[in-house]
Amino acid sequence: MFWKKKQKKRQTMADRGERVDERLKHIAFIMDGNGRWARRRGMPREFGHSHGAATFKKIGRYCEKIGLQYMTVYAFSTENWKRPQKEVDTIMKIFDDYIEECFLEMEEDNVHFRFIGNLAIFPDDLQEKMAKIDRETAHKPFILNIAVNYGGREEITNACNELIREGKQVITEADISSHLYTLDCPPPDLIVRTGGEFRSSNFLLWQSAYSEYYFTDILWPDFSPLDVDDAIAAFYGRKRRYGGV
Ligand code: IPE
Ligand code: IPE
Ligand code: MG
């Protein structure tokens, strides 16, 4: 008689009641691979974006549960406007729906929602909603930065221009850091990129100077809490030297 040995389902850190320690406060995700995920299913790219949005919510909840204090996600870059109008419109619709959901759920959530990027490009009412959510969740402990119309170069250039407007003649690293969209968030300890590409694509250029990178071929809509655990395990295996020995 043949039978398959029943495989024991791997438990997540959360299942085991484990939490991250002080080495890992801030995790960031370059959520890539939505389009390919859809194409592999013979579906339009937009289908991948809606599944990607569901993954984002799931991963956000998980990161909060295992004790991360900050999470930053790359949702839409300053370069993503180059995509076909239909795809851009779908992403913006998903974003709009997400904002509405945030309003409904923000009371119960432990999340301080922040939107980072050059937000001036968005319609006034959307900008107001983003500012309102940020304000009304400002007392919550888990900071979630959502990068939209975000570009690392734009962010640094914007910081410099703000400093010029303030009349600064000489600027320091601390001046630049404090004028970035991420404000007082510590830099990410770990940056995870899904989708198999090995590049930053203009994400957190300044803040990532000493971040640990973790790349995986998994496409974002398939990314799961167990994959977060794998990234965290890899991170704990690294030795961060910051230029020392
Ligand atoms: C990431 O997935 C989502 C955004 C950039 C908005 P992609 O849409 O880049 O998916 P691929 O890389 O084409 O598969
Ligand atoms: C990076 O993914 C941007 C986001 C995940 C929002 P892209 O798909 O835009 O990056 P490239 O084009 O492969 O560098
Ligand atoms: Mg991509």
Side-chain angles (χ1 to χ4, degrees):
M1 190 178 167
F2 297 94
W3 68 90
K4 250 193 175 164
K5 192 170 167 217
K6 199 168 171 223
Q7 280 222 321
K8 205 162 168 243
K9 200 170 152 270
R10 226 180 107 196
Q11 287 194 316
T12 62
M13 278 179 73
D15 294 333
R16 298 192 300 267
E18 288 173 17
R19 291 167 68 83
V20 292
D21 62 23
E22 72 296 333
R23 285 174 292 174
L24 185 54
K25 293 189 174 68
H26 185 176
I27 191 165
F29 294 96
I30 301 176
M31 310 186 287
D32 196 23
N34 292 349
R36 280 164 287 163
W37 185 88
R39 212 170 53 221
R40 283 181 196 174
R41 285 159 179 76
M43 299 297 282
R45 297 177 54 81
E46 290 76 10
F47 182 69
H49 294 312
S50 24
H51 280 264
T55 301
F56 154 61
K57 290 174 213 160
K58 180 173 74 189
I59 298 299
R61 279 193 296 272
Y62 184 69
C63 287
E64 195 255 321
K65 199 164 177 185
I66 59 172
L68 268 302
Q69 294 171 39
Y70 306 87
M71 172 170 154
T72 302
V73 291
Y74 205 6
F76 195 83
S77 76
T78 44
E79 287 73 36
N80 287 146
W81 300 103
K82 290 181 203 151
R83 295 184 178 208
Q85 194 57 45
K86 185 166 165 269
E87 178 171 348
V88 171
D89 289 347
T90 303
I91 296 171
M92 290 305 143
K93 170 84 176 64
I94 290 172
F95 182 51
D96 225 31
D97 291 348
Y98 176 69
I99 302 257
E100 293 304 326
E101 257 179 60
C102 290
F103 271 113
L104 295 176
E105 291 168 15
M106 67 187 183
E107 301 243 327
E108 302 99 79
D109 281 350
N110 284 326
V111 187
H112 175 189
F113 295 92
R114 304 213 306 194
F115 299 89
I116 63 168
N118 185 347
L119 306 180
I121 201 163
F122 295 110
D124 288 348
D125 60 331
L126 184 58
Q127 284 185 53
E128 278 158 28
K129 282 186 203 166
M130 289 189 274
K132 187 164 191 266
I133 294 175
D134 185 332
R135 237 181 6 253
E136 292 189 5
T137 59
H139 57 291
K140 306 274 185 160
F142 177 67
I143 296 188
L144 174 60
N145 296 308
I146 302 167
V148 280
N149 191 31
Y150 174 90
R153 289 180 175 178
E154 195 280 335
E155 180 183 39
I156 295 167
T157 309
N158 178 67
C160 295
N161 281 322
E162 275 188 16
L163 290 161
I164 292 170
R165 278 196 292 276
E166 288 168 19
K168 280 261 164 30
Q169 301 290 319
V170 177
I171 59 178
T172 63
E173 290 191 10
D175 287 332
I176 295 184
S177 294
S178 63
H179 285 72
L180 298 174
Y181 298 129
T182 43
L183 299 173
D184 45 357
C185 278
D189 302 296
L190 172 61
I191 300 180
V192 175
R193 181 169 187 149
T194 62
E197 312 288 359
F198 298 100
R199 52 179 173 256
S200 79
S201 300
N202 204 10
F203 187 48
L204 302 179
L205 295 185
W206 180 275
Q207 299 89 331
S208 63
Y210 274 102
S211 301
E212 296 294 329
Y213 275 95
Y214 179 84
F215 297 99
T216 168
D217 287 337
I218 298 167
L219 303 174
W220 178 255
D222 286 331
F223 199 70
S224 71
L226 282 173
D227 300 317
V228 175
D229 289 0
D230 288 343
I232 291 175
F235 171 82
Y236 281 139
R238 309 261 180 96
K239 177 108 184 67
R240 299 180 85 183
R241 280 184 291 276
Y242 299 98
V245 286

